[in-house]
Amino acid sequence: MSLPNMNTKEGKERYQLVRAGLIMQGTTLTHWCRENGTCIQNVRDAFFGRWQGPKATDLTRRVLQAAGAKTK
């Protein structure tokens, strides 16, 4: 299943994993978003499947990578 098309439960789990991963690195998702010129709402929408498409997939992968999480 592609990242932006995941169900809400899976999306929520991965979103929480990203937040925790960034905190473990001494930063936050909000800070990452500011540094990368994106809005936290876009990240949430991409993870929860409300925003789909190539840009949402790219954003999700970049956030997962920054958090040190595995991508599918």
Side-chain angles (χ1 to χ4, degrees):
M1 182 180 308
S2 68
L3 294 176
N5 295 321
M6 61 183 99
N7 65 45
T8 302
K9 182 180 177 186
E10 184 179 348
K12 183 177 181 180
E13 290 171 0
R14 292 178 70 87
Y15 180 74
Q16 290 172 338
L17 178 68
V18 161
R19 292 182 67 101
L22 290 169
I23 289 170
M24 294 288 291
Q25 295 176 31
T27 190
T28 65
L29 181 56
T30 300
H31 183 261
W32 185 91
C33 288
R34 285 183 189 142
E35 291 287 313
N36 288 275
T38 192
C39 177
I40 195 167
Q41 186 62 45
N42 290 345
V43 174
R44 279 194 291 262
D45 286 349
F47 273 95
F48 295 138
R50 293 185 295 249
W51 178 34
Q52 300 181 11
K55 289 182 181 180
T57 301
D58 180 57
L59 178 59
T60 305
R61 286 193 180 131
R62 288 190 304 130
V63 175
L64 285 165
Q65 183 179 20
K70 294 181 181 178
T71 58
K72 289 185 176 183

